Amino acid sequence: MTSRRVVLVTGASRGIGAETGRILAARGDHVVLNYREKRSRAEKLAAEFVAAGGSASVAGADLTAAPEAAALIDGVLREFGRLDVLVLNASGGLERGAPPDYPMTINRDAQVRLAGLALPHLPAGGRIVFVTSHQAHFHGRKPVPEDYLPIAAAKRAGEDALRALIPEFTSRGVGFSVVSGDMIDGTIIVRLLRRRDPDAVSARTEHGPLPTVEEFAAAVADATTADTEPGHTVYVGGADYLADR
């Protein structure tokens, strides 16, 4: 048992998830860093957070596998006796050799499943935060790089499915918000896009510097405490996306 807030961050062994965990641990939360394969990397991060005075642990799970997702939530509850915040950061779809339905499996189905598993255990005042991109959030209204299209469609579907659950979230007193960002400099997605379609990345930088991982992660961390209306969206970067919103 712990008196700290217990925050589960998915896809937290690197990038935005790792930095979000670092910020939350520094603010006094106990952060559970979920990873799929990179246990040693997640453990190194947790050790860094603890050495800096924070509180953190790791929990492996492939969120596309229903039994592993259920075991992840059960394990957090068993170890800490509570779960206060779920940050849905894990995503994918550009992995080589992944089946065609993988983007929807990870970006929609896994997100909705994990939210459903966590919801009965989140207290009134708890939070669910969904992390997405402008390219996904504005899918159907703004152009999307061709290589990113399957992810954009899947993450938009995931966001829509989660938004459909807002009445249930609200009835339990659980907040739900979305944090949407322009391409985030330094993330694996941008690195992969630079290899496959460098013009797609350079086209975004014409509108100004891309937000950094640190800037975006701070917005995600802030969303776990901000007093906002259910379904509120926080936008980071991409002024051109927002101009005619």
Side-chain angles (χ1 to χ4, degrees), residues 96-205:
R96 293 191 184 279
D101 63 347
Y102 183 71
M104 203 65 75
T105 299
I106 180 63
N107 296 310
R108 181 193 64 190
D109 302 344
Q111 311 300 317
V112 174
R113 179 190 297 119
L114 197 63
L117 289 166
L119 184 59
H121 308 288
L122 290 168
R127 301 294 180 90
I128 297 174
V129 178
F130 179 66
V131 178
T132 190
S133 65
H134 289 351
Q135 290 77 19
H137 180 73
F138 291 98
H139 177 55
R141 292 178 282 169
K142 298 284 187 177
V144 176
E146 185 175 353
D147 284 323
Y148 190 75
L149 191 56
I151 299 178
K155 286 187 75 68
R156 181 68 243 188
E159 181 179 340
D160 289 343
L162 289 165
R163 287 186 181 278
L165 297 174
I166 287 176
E168 187 174 354
F169 297 158
T170 302
S171 72
R172 292 176 175 270
V174 173
F176 172 73
S177 57
V178 174
V179 182
S180 177
D182 198 355
M183 289 185 183
I184 308 299
D185 196 28
T187 60
I188 186 65
I189 289 290
V190 171
R191 290 199 296 271
L192 289 172
L193 276 176
R194 277 201 172 103
R195 293 177 198 166
R196 297 187 184 190
D197 187 2
D199 289 344
V201 179
S202 62
R204 293 304 312 141
T205 60

